[in-house]
């Protein structure tokens, strides 16, 4: 277990966002966190990434209890994260955003030539062909912006890669690339935490599935314990989609 | 740079250049210069240029430091008074306590950096807006400047630095003049160029520069990718304090005396120069060269009106109109260059 | 008296023995202004001498000034010293003080309204008188076109000084606005003016720091203009001795602080009034090369 | 045709975001806009919604050429929009955001009681149970925030409803609700423009499919002309997902 | 309100109240009042209260208007000078041109609103930051105030309003006093309460209030849902101008004379009061009552130091420390109330 939480909880003022959640991240395994909107998924991974501090329970890195003081502490332990809402600096260019916080150096200076090149290459490898890495991130399309965040996390992820709904704004093709990245990271021995609402994305790559509901855990399942249909059913509270399709058709 | 992309319309070099924040300011500069130079031969003469470049230099040093701070998303209202504090420490120590000028300058530097550090610490710890925190420092320093000066000297000004030990050397370096083509230019101009060059390098070509843009653009997001936001901001406050010390020392050495109320009200002129030079008040965008140019625009407009001999009563009217036009020219050029983008 | 001690910390400035009276000095000078600082020193020295508690406040905004008077009235002080740059605006507040039977002494400007408002007496002479004196001296020195450097736009006192000089000079007086908190700016603006208008052959500074900056400007511009100033500082005295400054107008404003407290003290103890309805003049005096040496030390101590 | 574009184009500085795109929105029909990241979908709908002005081509409302001066002009014509990136005012409460720009009145005043009630009801109907409609929108989870935007657009949409990736941050259940909303709006006779990357969302409700690629149109298809498999293939450039699944498995 | 939700921890009423922006400021108010009242009996006497409430009232009227503008995401640096302009127009017209006081006030109002409209128009049209635009107006008005006053009267102040026609009536309404329990309070205090009440109603209970929060919070997003952002902002600038006219008239009628440099530097005091009262400098958050309380805090600290009889030389030191502490108390209380939230 690289990362582990035991009975972790978090309160915002009067809002109990997370209660008594236990989970683990293993090297070479993908843990999918599933759950409805507002279930507390982002809150949980922000605690893992050091952005938020938990109020109750314990957080363990490599078996030792820690309290991550901030995102830097997590990054220094090789934990790279794609956040759902803390994304990019809109006024800064793509390449500056890409290397933000981990700038390559050349003597004393920031090696801008390398930074530009690597950023362009990594994005192209994701199937995103930004015209100009000098373009401010704020002018990118929603999916392009998300791709930059993913490419960055993949590039810097050393031991754990945390992805909060990375595929939500992506096209089918780009989403496929991201899933392939996740698989590749897993094969390289990284622990991956992957949040998604799409069972078609979760099932192919996931090894363990943590289900959250209104801030509490409904349990953690291994892939062997669960079929794709069961997973979909769990996520949607019933064979919603199929039923829905009939419903939508009928009314036409 | 990238391979040709059919989605990229052809864009001329001129337009590409104009997108840079500082090159918008250059247009304002040219407009204002042309306006005054056309009407006043003295204004465009070497002696005239040396004259209006001098206050632009001291303003420019501060404007550049303040611009960095503003790009980093913070304000420093205490910067103006801090120039006075540094100067007062220098002159008081050197004249009343027999300390050498060099040592007195060092003491001033230590105090200035401590003030900058305190500003930064309070801002990052309490998360109060820096506008309010440095306003507090501004008021407190004003009180300290006046109170301490009166307590030590019995008057509101300290003078007599000329007789202090080490004055000659320090004065030559910080307050001297350089002859260029028969006209003597203030050495402060060189300091200003140096400060601008260093600041530009830091902003564009260093790790720290990346962090400055990031903490000003979106502090939460920057922190999330591991930027040491608090340290960056504290360093920026200390940079401003350093600039205040430099300017305070330059002025103290030049006039060999300091008044207790010096520098009050200047803090806004620094911000104005930075904004004319293209810095965003909300942080995350701007340039050091732009701020330096903003200082020149302000200096030219300020002095140019005197060169033209316009009625002093209406002075501020012209100054206001001039500033508005310069910023507008800057903005229009940038708009043309980048089109509507939101 | 030149024995003014450095101002004591707030807690101990209360009266120890003596009359125990409480006087408030409220002027229109901004804090840190070198002229008004000497007034403050004078008032405090007198207070110390009589064992009276003297508080000094200054604000250039007449509204703020009258609020300060109101405050003093509600504190029921034993006397108020007030400078009237804008008598109209202070009329109501001074009226309230007089109605509350608090003796008022007006100082510096506002001699004309002093009696009508019910003040005990008026000390000092107004700014325009001082300006006229400066104008005469400059005229005698051959100045025909004078640059009057205003370091605080809209300040009535400064405007009156320039106007006074204009009345007696005979030549033209041009005003130049500068920012007193930025001396590099002052030097540069005065230089600009001298460079662009060669006719200017005299500069009148209204503050010693401005005088020093103007001296540099005259040097930078290579101009022959004669320089005069209001008020003293060690640097100005040095410059007078070096012949760089022609003279400094000395209003002996120390007296404008010292005398009113003395008068109020006497009024309280003995119901004495001074002047018989006429103002008590404190100047103007002129510090020139001849008497600069003696004044130098006093200026350094903050009493001249 | 309520809304129609003919050969519309848009440039940002040097970036050609959209070139010569023609499409139409009919009453009682759902037009799906599909395309890769950065294809220009958001740009197109921003033009329809009055947020951006087109550079070339013509825009027709009810058959008459118009130039929408701003979002207000579009709203006044009954066009309501859920934007991908211009969402909510984070510091304002849920109910204030919900009614922003179309505040209910009670005499001169803003009827806050009604506003609170309606906002709560509409959100609950979407399956989002916000604890407190006074909560600032900035503290909602990503999906909750999107739900507020959708609920608002549905509530105010009079003739045309434009939705830019409304389901991207939503859970399976909430996405189902949104699809049902779309069907219901269509049945009420509204024209709907629906952008999504998920063929499983697009196919059940869509009547016409506009395909964008790198700023240009690849054509508009009726539902009759295209099967779900063809659609998926078109969106992903091949039967990507299935293939991907094999790939991901193999490497494990 | 909502049905009980297991995800909501129980929160006391006290804490719920403290979350409101203005109730944080109340704590600052109590702290500062307690501090001075404990040491100075005059400060807490009715006469003393009337004393410090008076400047708080005129400051408060402006702070409330400026707070609305700041919530709407803009600054107005010309507000202070505009009080002077309104006053000068009133006194000049009434004393030099024989216009009745009422008509002169109307003229002042028209000019003030025109200036506000111009500010708003330029800001919304050019998209220049309002900081720079209103700085231009600030300088230009300063020039106009001085230039016109000197041109018409030959001096830098106009006086003699007392003798003008209609003075008595206008003075009673705008500058009179009301007796409450034997102490006379300025009628400006009533105007201040009225302005605060109206502003609070507009902010919390009107369409326009919703728009103000929205344009300040995120102008693009607000525009996208159909908020008339430009109109809202122009209206806010005109509101500030209206307040400036009201305060300018009150002061002119009270002191019956106006100096050409009046109001300069006040613009920042307004902003300070609003920020002490909990307004965000970046817009989108704040309250009118908070700003009004901020004005009282500032007024109390400003006058309280005089009541304590502390040395004027150190005045600013105390003032700065006081402001910082008041804002800090405010912030700490709010933090405790809402916990870390970002
Ligand atoms: N800073 C905050 N203050 C108050 N409440 C918060 C805050 N952050 C999150 N919440 C609440 O906590 C709950 C969990 O939020 P979280 O963002 O973790 O949900 P999520 O599972 O990521 O949902 P989604 O799938 O929609 O992104 C939400 O109901 C949200 O309203
Ligand atoms: N303001 C702008 N300035 C410059 N380029 C822009 C701007 N807005 C969009 N673009 C560019 O135009 C292209 C189309 O953007 P758009 O947002 O329409 O894409 P999209 O189809 O919505 O993509 P996604 O599915 O990722 O949301 C993108 O490549 C983007 O980089
Ligand atoms: Mg989430
Ligand atoms: Mg998009």
């Amino acid at each position: 277990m690289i990362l582990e939480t035991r009975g972790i909880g978090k309160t915002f003022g009067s809002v109990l966002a997370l209660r008594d959640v236990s989970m683990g991240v293993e090297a070479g395994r993908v843990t999918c966190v599933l759950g409805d909107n507002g279930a507390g998924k982002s809150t949980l991974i922000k605690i893992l990434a050091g952005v938020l501090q938990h109020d109750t329970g314990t957080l363990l890195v490599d078996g030792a209890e820690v309290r991550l003081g901030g995102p830097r502490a997590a990054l220094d332990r090789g934990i790279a994260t794609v956040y759902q809402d803390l994304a990019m600096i809109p006024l800064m260019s793509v390449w500056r955003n890409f290397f933000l916080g981990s700038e390559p150096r050349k003597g004393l200076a920031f090696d801008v030539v390398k930074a530009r090149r690597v950023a362009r290459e990594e994005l192209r490898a994701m199937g995103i062909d930004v015209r100009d890495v000098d373009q401010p991130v704020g002018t990118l399309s929603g999916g392009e912006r998300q791709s930059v965040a993913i490419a960055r996390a993949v590039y810097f992820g050393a031991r754990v890669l945390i992805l909060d709904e990375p595929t939500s704004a992506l096209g089918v093709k780009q989403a496929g690339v991201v899933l392939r990245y996740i698989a590749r990271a897993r094969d390289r021995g990284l622990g991956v935490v992957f949040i998604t609402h799409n069972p078609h994305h979760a099932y192919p790559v996931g090894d363990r599935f943590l289900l959250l509901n209104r801030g509490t855990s409904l349990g953690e399942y291994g892939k062997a314990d669960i079929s794709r249909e069961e997973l979909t059913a769990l996520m949607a509270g019933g064979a919603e989609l199929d039923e829905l399709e009939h419903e939508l058709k009928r009314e036409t | 740079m990238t391979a040709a992309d059919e989605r990229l319309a052809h864009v001329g070099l001129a337009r590409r250049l104009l997108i840079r924040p500082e090159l918008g300011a250059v247009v304002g500069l040219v407009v204002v210069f042309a306006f005054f130079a056309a009407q006043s031969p003295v204004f465009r003469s070497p002696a005239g240029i040396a004259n209006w470049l001098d206050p632009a230099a001291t303003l420019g040093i501060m404007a550049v430091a303040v611009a960095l701070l503003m790009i980093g998303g913070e304000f420093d209202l205490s910067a103006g008074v801090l120039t006075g504090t540094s100067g007062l420490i220098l002159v008081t120590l050197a004249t009343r306590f027999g300390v050498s000028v060099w040592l007195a300058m060092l003491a001033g530097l230590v105090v200035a950096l401590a003030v900058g550090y305190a500003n930064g610490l309070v801002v990052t710890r309490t998360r109060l807006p820096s506008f309010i925190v440095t306003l507090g420092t501004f008021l407190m320093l004003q009180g300290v400047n006046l109170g301490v000066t009166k307590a030590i000297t019995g008057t509101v000004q300290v003078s007599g630095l000329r007789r202090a030990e080490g004055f000659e050397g320090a004065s030559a370096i910080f307050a001297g003049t350089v002859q260029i083509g028969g006209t003597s230019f203030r050495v402060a101009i060189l300091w200003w160029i140096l400060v601008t060059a260093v600041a530009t390098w830091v902003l564009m070509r260093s790790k720290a520069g990346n962090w400055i843009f990031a903490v000003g653009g979106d502090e939460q997001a920057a922190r999330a990718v591991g930027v040491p936001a608090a340290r960056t901001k504290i360093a920026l406050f200390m940079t401003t304090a350093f600039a205040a010390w430099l300017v305070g020392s330059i002025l103290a050495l030049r006039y060999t005396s300091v008044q207790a109320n010096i520098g009050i009200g200047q803090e806004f002129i620094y911000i104005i120069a930075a904004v004319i030079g293209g810095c965003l008040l909300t942080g995350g965008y701007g340039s050091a060269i732009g701020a330096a140019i903003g200082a020149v625009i302000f200096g030219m407009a300020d002095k140019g009106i005197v060169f033209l001999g316009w009625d002093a009563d209406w002075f501020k009217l012209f100054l206001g109109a001039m500033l508005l036009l310069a910023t507008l020219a800057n903005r229009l050029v940038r708009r043309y260059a980048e089109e509507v983008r939101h | 008296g030149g024995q003014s001690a450095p101002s004591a910390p707030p807690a101990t400035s209360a009266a120890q023995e003596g009359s125990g009276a409480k006087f408030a000095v409220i002027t229109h000078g901004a804090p840190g202004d070198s002229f008004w600082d000497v007034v403050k020193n004078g008032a405090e020295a007198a207070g110390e001498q009589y064992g009276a508690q003297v508080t000094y406040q200054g604000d250039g905004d007449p509204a703020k000034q009258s609020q300060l008077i109101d405050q003093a009235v509600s504190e029921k002080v034993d006397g108020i010293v007030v400078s009237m740059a804008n008598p109209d605006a202070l009329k109501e507040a001074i009226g309230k003080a007089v109605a509350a039977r608090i003796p008022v002494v007006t100082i510096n400007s506002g001699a004309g309204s002093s009696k009508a408002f019910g003040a005990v007496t008026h000390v000092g002479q107004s700014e325009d008188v001082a300006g006229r004196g400066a104008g005469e001296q400059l005229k005698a020195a051959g100045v025909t076109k004078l640059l009057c450097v205003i370091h605080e736009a809209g300040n009535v006192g400064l405007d009156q000084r320039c106007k006074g000089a204009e009345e007696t000079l005979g030549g033209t007086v041009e005003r130049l606005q500068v920012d007193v908190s930025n001396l590099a700016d002052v030097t540069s603006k005065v230089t600009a003016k001298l460079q662009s208008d060669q006719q200017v052959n005299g500069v009148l500074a209204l503050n010693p720091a401005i005088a020093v900056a103007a001296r540099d400007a005259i040097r930078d511009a290579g101009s022959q203009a004669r320089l005069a100033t209001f008020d003293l500082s060690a640097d100005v005295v040095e410059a007078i001795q070096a012949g760089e400054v022609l003279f400094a107008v000395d209003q002996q404003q120390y007296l404008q602080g010292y005398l009113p407290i003395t008068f109020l003290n006497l009024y309280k103890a003995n119901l004495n009034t001074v002047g018989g309805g006429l103002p008590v003049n404190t100047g103007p005096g002129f510090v020139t090369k001849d008497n600069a040496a003696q004044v130098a030390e006093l200026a350094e101590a903050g009493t001249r």
Side-chain angles (χ1 to χ4, degrees), chain A, chain B, chain C:
Chain A
M1 288 287 188
I2 312 183
L3 264 176
E4 199 182 340
T5 68
R6 290 199 192 138
I8 231 160
K10 174 77 193 169
T11 321
F12 296 108
S14 60
V15 176
L16 298 170
L18 218 54
R19 258 173 309 169
D20 193 24
V21 172
S22 302
M23 71 167 297
V25 182
E26 277 173 272
R29 289 271 171 282
V30 178
T31 307
C32 288
V33 182
L34 311 170
D36 263 356
N37 292 124
K41 304 181 294 298
S42 297
T43 305
L44 176 64
I45 68 107
K46 276 186 187 160
I47 291 172
L48 298 182
V51 171
L52 294 176
Q53 274 70 46
H54 50 284
D55 297 327
T56 54
T58 51
L59 174 65
L60 298 95
V61 176
D62 297 320
E65 190 177 338
V66 292
R67 217 182 156 74
L68 296 174
R72 184 79 257 168
L75 282 162
D76 290 344
R77 290 181 165 83
I79 304 170
T81 312
V82 176
Y83 300 95
Q84 185 179 15
D85 49 7
L86 287 180
M88 305 263 130
I89 319 284
L91 287 169
M92 281 171 79
S93 64
V94 171
W95 62 272
R96 281 192 178 270
N97 262 294
F98 193 99
F99 282 100
L100 186 56
S102 316
E103 291 81 1
R105 290 225 248 156
K106 192 175 177 179
L108 268 176
F110 178 9
D111 188 348
V112 294
V113 178
K114 180 178 168 198
R116 272 213 186 77
R117 183 172 43 75
V118 173
R120 190 161 42 237
E121 284 169 6
E122 292 294 317
L123 284 170
R124 197 169 291 158
M126 274 196 71
I128 293 290
D129 186 10
V130 279
R131 299 174 199 76
D132 183 358
V133 285
D134 274 311
Q135 197 173 348
V137 161
T139 66
L140 292 180
S141 84
E144 288 168 341
R145 221 173 303 167
Q146 200 151 21
S147 302
V148 177
I150 298 168
R152 172 172 73 184
V154 169
Y155 186 78
F156 290 108
R159 299 173 62 216
V160 178
L161 191 58
I162 302 182
L163 305 157
D164 193 356
E165 307 200 17
T167 51
S168 69
L170 296 189
V172 182
K173 208 188 318 182
Q174 285 81 5
V177 176
V178 171
L179 293 180
R180 226 174 267 132
Y181 271 6
I182 293 176
R184 216 182 295 153
R186 171 197 66 190
D187 296 341
R188 281 202 339 254
L190 271 72
V192 180
V193 180
F194 177 34
I195 300 185
T196 180
H197 286 298
N198 194 332
H200 303 290
H201 289 172
Y203 197 75
V205 292
D207 296 303
R208 301 155 69 103
F209 302 92
L210 173 72
L211 272 146
L212 290 186
N213 184 35
R214 294 168 76 90
T216 53
S217 167
L218 293 185
E220 210 176 348
Y221 301 86
K223 194 162 193 166
D225 312 332
I226 200 166
S227 74
R228 177 193 295 243
E229 285 63 40
E230 282 170 327
L231 186 71
T232 314
L234 269 171
M235 285 176 75
E240 283 263 348
L241 259 189
D242 288 339
E243 193 188 292
L244 181 70
E245 196 155 332
H246 286 287
E247 189 185 325
L248 296 177
K249 270 202 199 105
R250 255 201 320 277
E251 289 181 23
T252 320
Chain B
M1 293 212 177
T2 34
D5 188 311
E6 90 279 9
R7 295 168 302 172
L8 274 181
H10 178 74
V11 165
L13 178 71
R15 221 184 200 189
R16 294 211 122 214
L17 274 180
L18 287 172
I19 294 181
R20 300 216 45 77
E22 56 273 25
L23 277 143
V26 168
V27 175
L29 181 80
V30 171
V31 169
V32 175
F33 181 81
F35 178 81
F36 288 110
Q39 296 180 63
S40 161
V42 194
F43 183 86
R44 58 177 192 261
S45 73
I49 292 175
N51 184 17
W52 53 254
L53 220 43
D54 168 33
T58 42
L59 170 56
I61 294 173
M62 291 308 298
V64 167
V66 165
L68 292 195
L69 185 65
M70 276 172 65
I71 296 172
E74 304 290 343
F75 291 99
D76 189 351
L77 301 189
S78 68
V81 185
L82 192 56
T83 64
T85 309
S86 315
L88 283 169
I89 292 174
L90 163 53
V91 181
T92 309
L93 284 185
T95 61
R96 309 282 154 144
F97 296 91
V99 177
S100 97
V101 167
W102 293 106
L103 234 83
M105 281 181 73
L106 190 68
L109 179 60
V110 170
V111 172
L113 289 180
V115 170
Y117 181 76
N119 274 339
L121 200 69
V122 174
V123 166
T124 51
R125 280 289 161 81
T126 65
R127 299 219 184 141
L128 286 175
S130 56
F131 187 88
I132 272 292
V133 172
T134 58
L135 179 86
T137 327
F138 164 75
L139 291 171
M140 292 197 287
L141 281 183
Q142 241 178 290
V144 169
N145 281 2
L146 185 56
V148 171
T149 310
K150 280 234 41 184
I152 292 182
T153 68
T155 68
V156 293
Q157 59 189 17
V158 231
S159 45
L161 188 61
R162 209 179 300 276
R163 295 180 298 271
E165 179 201 332
F167 172 78
E168 292 305 327
S171 175
I173 294 177
F174 291 98
T177 55
V178 221
Q179 293 288 329
I180 301 175
T183 315
S184 58
F185 287 83
R186 288 279 177 192
V187 78
I189 298 171
L190 296 182
W191 281 103
W192 169 46
I193 294 173
L194 182 70
V195 166
T196 309
V198 170
T200 302
W201 184 86
V202 167
L203 263 187
M204 305 310 292
R205 287 283 175 275
S206 86
K207 229 165 134 142
N210 220 27
W211 296 349
I212 293 171
F213 280 112
V215 294
D218 186 341
E219 188 176 343
Q220 287 303 328
R223 217 184 278 268
V225 293
V227 171
R231 256 198 295 143
T232 307
K233 291 203 162 173
I234 291 177
L236 286 173
F237 278 106
M238 291 177 76
T239 307
T240 314
F242 174 84
W245 165 79
L246 182 58
V247 169
S249 302
I250 288 177
L251 292 180
L253 285 166
R254 184 177 319 165
Y255 295 105
T256 69
S257 77
V258 182
Q259 262 184 302
N261 60 356
I262 219 75
I264 298 173
Q266 295 299 303
E267 54 284 346
F268 288 109
I269 314 260
Y270 309 151
I271 295 177
I272 292 163
V275 174
I276 296 177
C279 286
L280 278 189
L281 279 168
T282 44
Y285 187 80
S287 84
I289 295 183
I293 294 176
V296 181
I297 293 180
F298 188 88
M300 286 200 307
D302 200 35
K303 305 299 165 299
I305 293 169
V306 178
F307 275 114
L308 295 194
W310 288 351
D311 190 339
D313 291 338
W314 300 91
F315 174 76
K316 290 281 173 77
L317 175 63
F318 303 129
L319 186 62
M322 203 67 70
L323 285 183
L324 220 51
L325 290 180
T327 341
L328 208 58
N330 172 347
R331 168 64 53 112
L332 286 178
V333 168
R334 290 249 315 277
R335 266 260 195 97
Y336 158 78
E338 40 181 272
E339 301 280 1
V340 193
R341 171 191 277 186
H342 39 195
Chain C
Q3 74 279 54
S4 129
S7 57
T12 60
S13 68
Q16 301 97 337
E17 6 89 64
S19 74
K22 207 171 152 192
F23 301 124
V25 182
I26 297 159
T27 72
H28 66 275
D33 182 286
S34 52
F35 176 91
W36 289 103
D37 186 59
V38 177
V39 175
K40 177 172 189 262
N41 286 346
E44 281 171 351
E48 206 149 303
Q49 192 159 341
Y50 307 127
Q53 184 187 344
V54 172
T55 60
Y56 174 93
Q57 303 288 340
D59 203 310
D61 181 349
K64 295 261 173 59
Q65 213 192 335
S66 62
Q67 284 163 9
L68 287 168
I69 298 172
D70 287 348
Q71 266 187 290
V73 172
S74 57
E75 282 184 277
K76 304 196 172 62
V77 295
D78 298 299
I80 296 176
V81 179
V82 57
S83 71
M84 295 200 296
N86 191 339
D88 237 33
L90 301 183
K91 185 175 181 194
E92 192 191 300
I94 292 177
K96 268 194 242 166
V98 171
R101 303 190 166 280
I102 297 174
V104 175
V105 173
T106 55
I107 59 170
N108 193 259
S109 26
S113 315
S114 174
K115 201 172 166 204
F117 287 6
V120 177
T121 187
H122 180 88
V123 178
Q125 107 284 319
S126 51
E127 307 278 16
D128 44 0
V129 175
R132 266 183 241 139
E136 272 164 20
Q137 298 267 329
L138 285 167
K139 185 180 188 182
V143 172
T144 52
K145 187 164 189 187
L146 179 69
L147 191 63
C148 192
V149 186
I150 294 187
H151 57 266
E152 226 187 293
N155 180 319
V156 191
L158 303 183
D159 191 62
Q160 285 169 344
R161 288 178 184 176
C162 289
K163 216 193 252 160
E166 197 166 11
E167 278 167 25
T168 49
L169 183 75
T172 34
V173 174
E174 283 214 17
R175 288 173 173 77
L176 178 70
Q177 279 181 26
V178 297
D179 184 351
V180 69
S181 55
N182 184 353
L183 289 179
D185 176 76
V186 177
T187 303
S188 160
K189 274 202 185 125
V190 175
T191 309
K193 190 72 198 176
L194 294 174
Q195 280 176 340
S196 57
D197 189 348
Q198 308 283 350
Q199 306 292 309
V200 174
N201 56 4
V203 177
L204 179 59
L206 307 178
N207 167 307
I210 302 290
V212 175
R215 177 199 63 193
D216 289 6
I218 292 171
R219 206 187 283 151
D220 286 358
S223 160
Q224 295 303 315
R226 314 297 304 268
L227 175 63
T229 183
F230 274 71
D231 306 335
L232 292 170
S233 74
D235 283 330
V236 166
V237 173
E238 223 171 81
I240 290 174
Q241 285 170 321
E244 290 166 325
V245 172
L246 204 56
F247 64 87
V249 181
D250 179 12
Q251 301 193 62
Q252 306 199 74
Q253 67 271 32
Y254 188 79
L255 296 175
Q256 297 183 10
Y258 191 89
L259 291 181
I261 298 295
T262 309
F263 294 168
L264 283 173
N265 204 52
L266 285 170
Y267 182 85
K268 184 169 191 276
N270 213 17
L271 278 181
N272 289 121
T273 52
V274 188
L278 290 174
V280 178
N281 276 330
T282 59
F286 294 91
V287 176
T288 59
K289 217 168 179 169
D290 308 328
N291 58 356
Q294 297 109 289
V295 183
E297 259 174 60
L298 300 173
E300 190 115 20
T303 61
R304 285 298 287 262

